[in-house]
Amino acid sequence: MQRMENKHLAFLFVGMILMGMSFVLKHYFSLSDSLDGFVKGVAIGVLILTLNAN
């Protein structure tokens, strides 16, 4: 098993924070579906980028 570089760990951290923030923002503020979907899409994209990084 390979160790992750610091850059990839930062991407993982940012993706997880974005995903969590989308749920928190949706709970406390009225966000449009498109904005909520955009934030979740960016978070998923960052997490997939982290998985594909070698």
Side-chain angles (χ1 to χ4, degrees), residues 6-52:
N6 287 337
K7 178 177 67 170
H8 302 142
L9 286 175
F11 280 140
L12 180 67
F13 182 73
V14 167
M16 290 184 344
I17 291 294
L18 278 173
M19 186 61 76
M21 290 281 291
S22 71
F23 289 111
V24 170
L25 288 174
K26 183 77 171 179
H27 183 75
Y28 288 108
F29 301 105
S30 71
L31 295 178
S32 66
D33 286 338
S34 59
L35 181 61
D36 185 47
F38 177 76
V39 172
K40 286 180 183 171
V42 169
I44 290 171
V46 170
L47 290 172
I48 289 173
L49 180 69
T50 303
L51 291 176
N52 287 334

